[in-house]
Amino acid sequence: MSNYQSDQIKLINTSLIDPHPDNPRKNIGDVTDLAASIKANGLLSPLSVVPNGSRYRVIAGHRRLAACKQAGTGAVPCFVLQLGPLQQLEAMVTENCQREQLTVLEEADAIQGMLDLGATTANVAHRLGRSGDYVRDRVKAASIKTEVRATRDDFGQISIGQLVAIARYDGQPDRQKELAQAAGTSNFDYTLRRIERDDRDRQWVESVAALLGEPDSGINLIPDPEKPYSDPEWRYIGCMFPSTGTPEEAIEKIRELNPAAVSIHTVSQQVYLWTRRDTADAEKEARRAAEQAERDARRHALEEYAAASADKRMAWLHGHLHGVKRDKLVETTARLGLLQIIDPDPQGYTQALSTWNDKCGVEQFTTISGIEPERALAELRYHLDEPDWAVWAVQILAARIEWFIDPEDWTSTSDISRRIPGYYQILQDLGYTPADDETSHLDQLIAAITEADSDENEEDEENNQ
């Protein structure tokens, strides 16, 4: 401030003095203690202001001005300076830097503002007593766009080195945001190295693609097949990565391997190598694809059936259990309890109800009972001690059985699938009527279980002989 200081001091009412709109320091902080001191002792250091029409703008002393207004001070001593816009900004930056009150980003924005007003990098460096590199680094940081800065509340606290690294990816906001999120953590260097590696790999692929595209390359460059493992014309035989060597070395390697064609896979930064698929290969791939499509269709149909039948069973339980007589419900509780004895989970359905908050059965119990999960425990603990306990016990046991049944259990002979016919028998004794598709699936499941048991018995007999 000394270069701009005036010997003339004027008393000016604080109501006529405004904060400077270009003040680099965006947050002046709490001035309560300073206001109390000024109220007790008066303002000891004059403000520095510039005329602004009939009013004034403060150049040095934004905190003191705020404290004076908070203390209710009237006229205060001020140095009245005659400065142009660039000089005003230079003075504010110098004053704040000397007091170490600016964040790196605030200083960067202020320096950029000085350059925008016509200052040169050398001028700014000289004025601040800093090196040219110091100023240039902050100019880079100032280039970071608002949308990137808004990704975190403490963006202004990021170090200058990390801000410069973020600024390097100008025009790539997604990468800048990713780096901003990692700034200040041990993950920043790893994230930066990964992005740098991705850039190098992309440049390698682009260079290889350019060399392959030259008319005299002698290599057949084709578009990347949409289905790399089942294309009717091309069969995948390998790939090349950036680690292969320079783009030129990669081209020579491709010539040595002599593939029928190559393609560029930009997503994974690789060059794919292809040979022509013969007719037998094409027919084999077609059969394999058809078989897979058939398996997918069967699996989809089974999943749809399993979901629909489970919905039907649980909807019936929800609508009919409370109408079943108590003695029948007690009997059903015993039967469902016996059915779970062969449960592969050692704790089975008897696990503590507290596990339902994050484990098996809660969704199914909610469907059957109509009680929201957050209320289930309280309701159960109450009702299981009441005369109507049996209906709640049936709901618990049925929910646990429903949770265990997966689509595959309808076509396998696992411990779970072996309980499905017994479960259906219990439901039918309560009045449930299976739909035709349920009856068909049950018949097929019982036949599969019977066959598996027969095979197992024959094997046991042979082993005993």
Side-chain angles (χ1 to χ4, degrees):
M1 288 295 296
S2 58
N3 290 350
Y4 302 122
Q5 195 63 279
S6 169
D7 293 332
Q8 300 297 320
I9 295 180
K10 181 178 180 180
L11 287 174
I12 303 174
N13 196 290
T14 56
S15 64
L16 297 175
I17 308 174
D18 302 312
H20 201 291
D22 296 329
N23 181 30
R25 190 179 185 201
K26 304 307 178 185
N27 182 8
I28 63 172
D30 185 10
V31 296
T32 302
D33 292 342
L34 182 56
S37 175
I38 290 173
K39 193 169 185 177
N41 306 307
L43 180 64
L44 302 180
S45 299
L47 307 178
S48 294
V49 300
V50 293
N52 180 38
S54 61
R55 300 178 64 80
Y56 298 87
R57 285 177 174 172
V58 66
I59 295 295
H62 282 83
R63 280 178 54 80
R64 282 171 282 156
L65 173 62
C68 286
K69 290 187 175 184
Q70 184 173 316
T73 306
V76 294
C78 299
F79 291 114
V80 180
L81 312 176
Q82 301 297 324
L83 304 176
L86 176 57
Q87 291 175 315
Q88 294 177 29
L89 186 54
E90 285 179 342
M92 287 187 289
V93 172
T94 303
E95 194 256 350
N96 278 292
C97 287
Q98 288 173 348
R99 293 174 179 268
E100 297 183 351
Q101 293 177 333
L102 294 180
T103 67
V104 171
L105 199 56
E106 286 174 337
E107 185 183 12
D109 289 338
I111 288 174
Q112 183 59 57
M114 293 165 67
L115 297 177
D116 292 341
L117 289 171
T120 65
T121 299
N123 293 149
V124 175
H126 175 72
R127 180 61 184 165
L128 298 180
R130 303 289 190 177
S131 68
D133 287 340
Y134 181 95
V135 173
R136 282 186 285 271
D137 281 347
R138 278 147 185 80
V139 171
K140 293 174 185 175
S143 70
I144 300 173
K145 302 294 190 296
T146 302
E147 66 171 305
V148 178
R149 298 185 185 194
T151 56
R152 49 189 295 176
D153 294 336
D154 60 344
F155 191 88
Q157 305 303 318
I158 296 176
S159 69
I160 184 61
Q162 293 185 342
L163 286 173
V164 170
I166 294 171
R168 190 188 312 162
Y169 293 94
D170 185 37
Q172 303 179 59
D174 289 344
R175 283 186 165 179
Q176 287 188 315
K177 291 175 184 177
E178 184 180 5
L179 286 169
Q181 289 300 314
T185 72
S186 59
N187 197 40
F188 182 84
D189 289 341
Y190 167 78
T191 302
L192 180 59
R193 286 196 301 270
R194 176 175 54 76
I195 290 176
E196 291 172 341
R197 183 183 66 248
D198 289 346
D199 279 350
R200 289 194 300 270
D201 291 351
R202 187 188 71 255
Q203 292 168 5
W204 181 87
V205 167
E206 290 173 352
S207 298
V208 171
L211 292 172
L212 289 172
E214 293 179 355
D216 59 349
S217 71
I219 300 173
N220 182 21
L221 178 63
I222 64 171
D224 202 27
E226 294 183 3
K227 300 179 179 180
Y229 301 107
S230 60
D231 187 84
E233 182 178 2
W234 302 104
R235 181 165 61 84
Y236 171 81
I237 58 172
C239 65
M240 301 180 70
F241 300 88
S243 58
T244 302
T246 66
E248 291 75 15
E249 290 170 340
I251 295 297
E252 290 306 312
K253 184 67 174 177
I254 292 173
R255 294 186 197 281
E256 293 174 12
L257 295 172
N258 194 27
V262 299
S263 68
I264 302 295
H265 194 66
T266 55
V267 175
S268 58
Q269 313 291 11
Q270 299 172 26
V271 177
Y272 283 3
L273 310 180
W274 305 91
T275 186
R276 290 194 179 277
R277 191 185 297 278
D278 59 29
T279 303
D281 284 340
E283 291 176 352
K284 186 186 298 182
E285 289 293 343
R287 285 196 304 271
R288 191 175 298 145
E291 291 168 357
Q292 184 61 50
E294 184 179 351
R295 286 194 295 270
D296 290 344
R298 285 199 302 267
R299 184 176 63 252
H300 179 68
L302 183 61
E303 289 172 350
E304 286 192 333
Y305 161 74
S309 61
D311 288 344
K312 179 175 179 292
R313 292 190 302 269
M314 289 190 288
W316 185 89
L317 287 166
H318 175 70
H320 292 81
L321 274 186
H322 286 276
V324 178
K325 292 183 179 181
R326 185 177 184 279
D327 59 345
K328 188 66 175 178
L329 290 171
V330 173
E331 176 191 341
T332 301
T333 300
R335 295 176 68 186
L336 288 173
L338 289 171
L339 186 63
Q340 62 88 31
I341 288 177
I342 58 170
D343 193 334
D345 182 343
Q347 294 178 294
Y349 307 114
T350 61
Q351 285 190 349
L353 294 176
S354 58
T355 66
W356 280 37
N357 289 333
D358 57 2
K359 206 171 181 183
C360 49
V362 64
E363 180 182 346
Q364 289 76 11
F365 178 77
T366 296
T367 303
I368 294 172
S369 68
I371 296 175
E372 293 302 320
E374 58 270 18
R375 291 178 44 227
L377 283 177
E379 292 283 351
L380 285 171
R381 284 170 176 160
Y382 171 77
H383 285 286
L384 288 176
D385 288 331
E386 294 296 308
D388 64 343
W389 66 267
V391 68
W392 296 89
V394 170
Q395 290 180 92
I396 295 170
L397 294 169
R400 296 302 292 271
I401 291 176
E402 292 288 353
W403 177 80
F404 272 107
I405 299 175
D406 287 327
E408 293 77 10
D409 293 322
W410 283 96
T411 57
S412 67
T413 55
S414 65
D415 286 340
I416 304 298
S417 64
R418 292 174 181 276
R419 285 200 299 278
I420 292 177
Y423 178 48
Y424 263 87
Q425 186 60 58
I426 294 171
L427 293 180
Q428 287 176 269
D429 289 346
L430 286 174
Y432 178 77
T433 303
D436 290 343
D437 59 345
E438 289 178 282
T439 301
S440 175
H441 278 85
L442 277 170
D443 290 343
Q444 294 174 33
L445 178 59
I446 291 171
I449 293 172
T450 302
E451 182 178 354
D453 289 344
S454 176
D455 292 342
E456 185 176 335
N457 291 335
E458 290 179 4
E459 184 176 344
D460 289 342
E461 291 177 1
E462 291 176 358
N463 291 335
N464 292 330
Q465 287 178 356

